[in-house]
Amino acid sequence: MVFKIEKPENVKQIAAQDDPGVLQKNLSLLCEKAKQAGAIDAAVVDSDQIVFSPAIIENIKSDDRYPSIHWPLTYPKDDIKEAILASQYGIFFRISSVPGMPDYGGGPVDDIDHRNIYIRLYNIVTMIESACFYMGYHLAMGLAAGNCRSVFCSDEKRCWPILKGRPCIHPNKGRPSMEAAGIDSRAMARSVNWNFPENEKIPLLTGLIMVT
């Protein structure tokens, strides 16, 4: 699957004052963009609808067989929860999985078809994050699903940014996931009334882009 980013339709400066009407219009537009890119559901969420779970954090910490800079998520100088809650609104979306697709956790994702599904999700997150930037929301931040190393660097012996002085070899693709940030995507999906199988073995593939 080719990972591409669309060119912006237009570029806007950061507004001196927020216009609630323009913001809501842009949020709706971003939801539509996500659906056009392949999301089966997309919703605008308030920051107070984001559900954090300490249990999810503990599960991620115990799933350390395929570590990366974003799995488990340890930013010694930054608080990811604080950064997420600094925004008031976000775009929450999901894409469909396929029958028999397991929950890979931290990975690796050996099945190429399954990996392409994850790539599609990362592509949508990057596209929406980029669209936010060009709309003037320069602090937009996107979260995907799973472990970016298992999606983009499955052939690498390690995640290179873990080593001091080594950059990410996929800086425009790799990013933290919702679960690595401790977010309960299933609880959020229920809060926006999405219909999905309550079978924990079937992955709920979601992305979240905090806009403003």
Side-chain angles (χ1 to χ4, degrees):
M1 175 177 289
V2 177
F3 189 94
K4 69 175 184 177
I5 301 175
E6 296 181 355
K7 293 183 180 180
E9 296 174 359
N10 52 64
V11 180
K12 298 180 181 179
Q13 295 180 335
I14 299 175
Q17 294 182 338
D18 289 334
D19 184 325
V22 171
L23 174 59
Q24 292 304 318
K25 180 180 178 181
N26 286 340
L27 291 171
S28 296
L29 178 61
L30 291 169
C31 282
E32 288 304 311
K33 282 181 175 289
K35 291 178 180 178
Q36 291 169 8
I40 57 175
D41 280 309
V44 178
V45 294
D46 295 333
S47 58
D48 59 9
Q49 289 179 275
I50 300 174
V51 182
F52 290 91
S53 169
I56 292 178
I57 291 289
E58 292 306 312
N59 287 339
I60 300 303
K61 288 180 179 179
S62 65
D63 183 8
D64 59 356
R65 65 192 188 280
Y66 208 67
S68 76
I69 193 69
H70 296 310
W71 187 289
L73 188 59
T74 53
Y75 294 163
K77 296 184 179 180
D78 296 290
D79 187 323
I80 188 68
K81 181 177 179 179
E82 181 179 320
I84 292 169
L85 295 179
S87 295
Q88 184 178 1
Y89 297 107
I91 304 299
F92 180 48
F93 73 90
R94 67 169 175 144
I95 65 172
S96 59
S97 56
V98 293
M101 182 175 178
D103 186 344
Y104 286 95
V109 184
D110 297 319
D111 187 299
I112 186 61
D113 292 329
H114 295 172
R115 197 184 311 154
N116 282 337
I117 292 174
Y118 276 96
I119 290 174
R120 186 183 310 127
L121 188 147
Y122 277 78
N123 199 0
I124 295 173
V125 173
T126 302
M127 182 268 290
I128 297 299
E129 190 180 65
S130 178
C132 289
F133 182 88
Y134 289 112
M135 285 179 171
Y137 308 119
H138 292 182
L139 299 180
M141 177 179 62
L143 304 171
N147 180 355
C148 61
R149 178 188 172 193
S150 69
V151 177
F152 299 109
C153 296
S154 59
D155 295 332
E156 298 293 327
K157 294 182 178 180
R158 67 197 68 195
C159 173
W160 292 110
I162 290 179
L163 302 179
K164 186 176 182 180
R166 294 295 297 268
C168 175
I169 62 176
H170 295 292
N172 296 325
K173 303 177 184 180
R175 63 177 63 251
S177 64
M178 292 182 63
E179 58 264 47
I183 298 175
D184 189 335
S185 59
R186 288 181 176 270
M188 287 182 60
R190 286 190 289 269
S191 75
V192 294
N193 299 315
W194 288 347
N195 293 317
F196 62 94
E198 288 285 355
N199 183 345
E200 293 296 332
K201 294 182 180 180
I202 300 175
L204 182 66
L205 300 177
T206 61
L208 176 67
I209 305 93
M210 301 309 297
V211 179
T212 181

